[in-house]
Amino acid sequence: MKSLDDLYNEAVDYGVEGAVPAGTPVGVAKLSHVMRVFNAIMSGGLGFAVEVIEPDEFDRAVEGFRYLNLGEIANLLAELVESYGGSNYDLQKEDALDQMLNDGDPVDDAFRRKAVEVPSEFGL
């Protein structure tokens, strides 16, 4: 049986690849969508992520953040991606997103809570 660390690393790998194999448990798939965007933001900021990540991948990441009960991050990310490059773009909100993503390890913590709540969705 896979450990939580194994599942997390699997999701990170799928996120890097940008594709989730058929039959992947829904929780791992959602986490991989989150990790694709999260790692891009951590690597080069939101601007970098917007340049290298497709819009539909952001949509899946926002759904993934919501699935992990990180609604505040999901909502802020969706708003920032939607307004990116426009006159209504708010740098203070981007700073707030950065702070939320860097406050501890919110994605890993949320993943572990969700895996305990609904282990079957992670193949456990």
Side-chain angles (χ1 to χ4, degrees), residues 35-116:
M35 294 311 297
R36 179 142 178 91
V37 169
F38 176 81
N39 286 333
I41 292 171
M42 292 294 106
S43 295
L46 183 63
F48 170 76
V50 169
E51 290 179 25
V52 300
I53 304 287
E54 296 295 323
D56 63 319
E57 293 176 299
F58 275 105
D59 293 343
R60 286 193 297 267
V62 166
E63 288 175 25
F65 278 111
R66 288 191 177 119
Y67 171 81
L68 294 173
N69 298 314
L70 295 171
E72 189 176 4
I73 292 173
N75 294 340
L76 193 51
L77 178 63
E79 180 182 337
L80 287 168
V81 169
E82 177 72 27
S83 65
Y84 192 81
S87 61
N88 61 337
Y89 188 76
D90 188 339
L91 283 172
Q92 289 179 331
K93 288 184 179 181
E94 183 178 336
D95 290 342
L97 177 66
D98 286 340
Q99 186 173 17
M100 282 186 247
L101 292 175
N102 285 294
D103 184 20
D105 198 348
V107 174
D108 185 50
D109 294 345
F111 152 68
R112 290 175 187 282
R113 281 191 303 271
K114 189 74 170 188
V116 168

